[in-house]
Amino acid sequence: MALFELSERLQKLPPYLFAEIDKKKKAAIAAGRDIINLGIGDPDRPTPQFIIDALTEGANDPATHQYALDNGDPGLRRTISEFFARRYAVELDPDSQVYPTIGSKEAINHFPLAYLNEGDAALVPEPGYPPYRSGVIFAGADPVLMPLLAENDFFPDLGAISDADAARAKAIYVNYPNSPSGKLATKEFFADVLKYAEKHDLIVVQDAAYAEMSYGGRALSILEMPGAMERSIEFHSLSKTFNMTGWRVGWACGSADLVAGLGRIKTNLDSGIFTAVQRAATAALEGYDSFVPGLVEMYQGRRDAFCDKLNELGLKVDPPEATFYCWIACPEGYSSTDAASRILEEADVVVTPGLGFGPSGEGFIRATLTVSAERLVEAAERMAALDW
Ligand SMILES: *Cc1c(COP(=O)(O)O)cnc(C)c1O
């Protein structure tokens, strides 16, 4: 019925590819099979108690019960700015260059509404986090996909973007540490992106959700790079860093103009973040040193246990440099959906087919390090035991 015909913008979204596997997964769990779920990017550990305590204390203060101020709690903005100065040696004005968000997913989705028009394009990496594409499509613009290929170390080949696409584009999206490849940016790569963006007059949108989950030393913020602050906005999230996916809190930072543009959209769309959550986020960042290094060490131990076992048993994988994702090449002759189906049906392990993250994800499966090292070793043994 025409009444229920979905809008063109929804119809333009890429199809959801996992219906089949989701059905099989649900059936396997319902049948009582011992499923090891490496499918979702959601931390298995609880939020640390000191953050819950800050929330509780905040919730008990009636001053938090009203609409939150438009551009976020001043204490949180100041704390983010201090955190950024300490961690990245980048000075951010807490009033104009920092904006708390309801997790970064909403902000990444909403940002293009501030800058893109119909007929514009935006350069978007694939495989990648789906909201880059959907946000651009919701704004009426066209995503131009930049493949991230193993042979290019999972960096986009900027030289391969056509002049016509570059001319139409208003923004370029990057995501490092990268999901799903687990790659870290280099200074050279960020410098190339900024040079390209300057040449073609592009906004740089950098998703730093995994900035604090890196195993070989600190990840870079693009805002550390010369010239970045004039044209970049970077999205950070407390979700993965503090086991807070359900809390919905993160922040955007960077160019004061771009932050203000995002703010214009957000003040029209939402009415801020529960102030008690913002106070809890403040406590989280203040308690960073007491929690985050230990969390990263835990994931590193899981990564090593899982990847070492897979490699030992003949399923080759490069351990991720960052993030809790292992991006594993499918065994010879298998598509990503066939490999994932077989792993689920015969090994009782849930992994995600790479195709779901974009066409260049074909040939890979993604496994998330969100179960214990013991279970990861068992998952690796089960996967390798199949006759590939
Ligand atoms: C988890 C994740 C985010 C952040 O999500 P929130 O909305 O902050 O919970 C952003 N980008 C990527 C690639 C992610 O995996």
Side-chain angles (χ1 to χ4, degrees), residues 103-105 129 132 175 179 207 209-210 237 239-240 248 325:
S104 52
K105 186 179 187 180
Y129 189 51
Y132 314 140
N175 163 223
S179 163
D207 177 2
Y210 294 96
S237 172
S239 285
K240 316 293 166 45
R248 313 313 304 134
Y325 300 117

Side-chain angles (χ1 to χ4, degrees), residues 60 197 278 330:
N60 277 312
Q278 297 195 66
C330 294

Side-chain angles (χ1 to χ4, degrees), residues 150-303:
E151 70 234 42
N152 296 330
D153 250 354
F154 300 104
F155 293 121
D157 179 0
L158 301 175
I161 300 163
S162 76
D163 291 343
D165 285 336
R168 232 163 35 102
K170 278 196 76 179
I172 181 168
Y173 284 65
V174 287
N175 163 223
Y176 292 89
N178 182 254
S179 163
S181 72
K183 286 291 293 185
L184 285 170
T186 58
K187 282 201 165 147
E188 294 69 31
F189 170 70
F190 273 161
D192 286 349
V193 169
L194 288 162
K195 205 164 103 193
Y196 185 87
E198 193 179 349
K199 179 168 171 211
H200 296 284
D201 204 20
L202 305 174
I203 293 167
V204 178
V205 180
Q206 144 69 358
D207 177 2
Y210 294 96
E212 311 308 327
M213 198 189 286
S214 142
Y215 308 116
R218 188 177 66 76
L220 295 170
S221 160
I222 201 167
L223 301 176
E224 295 173 55
M225 302 293 300
M229 200 62 88
E230 295 154 36
R231 58 176 64 250
S232 309
I233 188 163
E234 188 167 78
F235 292 94
H236 287 254
S237 172
L238 278 77
S239 285
K240 316 293 166 45
T241 315
F242 295 98
N243 299 333
M244 291 175 74
T245 45
W247 295 55
R248 313 313 304 134
V249 59
W251 73 87
C253 58
S255 147
D257 290 304
L258 297 176
V259 165
L262 174 68
R264 283 285 288 280
I265 294 294
K266 280 179 60 58
T267 49
N268 280 283
L269 273 168
D270 66 64
S271 302
I273 309 164
F274 182 25
T275 301
V277 168
Q278 297 195 66
R279 290 189 189 170
T282 306
L285 287 171
E286 285 170 348
Y288 182 97
D289 291 340
S290 72
F291 179 72
V292 180
L295 184 79
V296 174
E297 204 175 302
M298 179 192 80
Y299 284 125
Q300 184 161 0
R302 291 177 175 185
R303 175 197 74 162

Side-chain angles (χ1 to χ4, degrees), residues 12 26 97 110 152 181 206 217 219 248 264 307 311 317:
K12 270 192 208 154
K26 286 201 184 103
Q97 294 184 294
H110 289 143
N152 296 330
S181 72
Q206 144 69 358
R248 313 313 304 134
R264 283 285 288 280
C307 294
N311 281 318
V317 55

